[in-house]
Amino acid sequence: ARKLVERKADLGLLFHHEQMPEALERQALGSVEMVTVCAVNHPLATARRVSRQQLARHRQLLIALESSGYPGGEPISPQIWRADSFYVMAELLMRGLGWAWLPRHVVQYPAYHQQMVELASEWVPPALVVELAWRRDQPLGPAARCLAERFTEHLRAIG
């Protein structure tokens, strides 16, 4: 969003954020399913179902900064590590450094195959809404509208 406001980008693909700058317009394209996961060697991996209290006893890996406002951003555990990439979180997770809410398509990435366990829990993280963003003073042209359609198709394919 900052790059759009600073005119360093013409189009943005962002997760929904409550605090969008006034200079920007946005359009929801779809959503990404989130799942609760840990590494196969993590203590939570053997539990059939985990409670909020069990999750709170272990380090939680969260996306973005504390002020992000992204859905699912409210921590359960008092022990938190944050990263700005779901793939960085997955790498930390595979080393047994905590549990996380990750997009299902990241968990299914071939490099992570059989290295993560999806945890059944009482709390299911909300899906992340993906939005197209642009400056209000620069309406979308034909190329941007075409990209929006392709992004929407891709989100349906991974969802």
Side-chain angles (χ1 to χ4, degrees), residues 16-44:
H16 176 77
H17 193 287
E18 292 298 326
Q19 300 171 348
M20 185 66 77
E22 280 295 315
L24 302 182
E25 189 69 45
R26 59 184 167 183
Q27 171 190 344
L29 300 179
S31 61
V32 175
E33 180 188 7
M34 300 294 284
V35 292
T36 306
V37 291
C38 69
V40 294
N41 62 348
H42 191 276
L44 290 171

Side-chain angles (χ1 to χ4, degrees), residues 80-101:
I80 301 165
W81 283 6
R82 293 185 182 266
D84 63 358
S85 161
F86 286 121
Y87 293 96
V88 168
M89 286 174 56
E91 293 294 326
L92 294 171
L93 186 134
M94 287 191 315
R95 287 164 176 73
L97 297 174
W99 64 272
W101 295 311

Side-chain angles (χ1 to χ4, degrees), residues 66-138:
E66 287 184 58
S67 62
S68 74
Y70 290 131
E74 291 301 316
I76 287 180
S77 173
Q79 305 169 55
I80 301 165
W81 283 6
R82 293 185 182 266
D84 63 358
S85 161
F86 286 121
Y87 293 96
V88 168
M89 286 174 56
E91 293 294 326
L92 294 171
L93 186 134
M94 287 191 315
R95 287 164 176 73
L97 297 174
W99 64 272
W101 295 311
L102 290 178
R104 181 175 296 285
H105 73 274
V106 172
V107 174
Q108 293 171 342
Y109 189 68
Y112 308 139
H113 185 65
Q114 296 184 340
Q115 295 187 52
M116 294 185 203
V117 173
E118 185 175 338
L119 300 170
S121 71
E122 60 191 37
W123 192 84
V124 178
L128 288 179
V129 175
V130 179
E131 298 177 325
L132 189 72
W134 64 94
R135 292 188 54 83
R136 288 184 191 273
D137 61 358
Q138 294 177 324

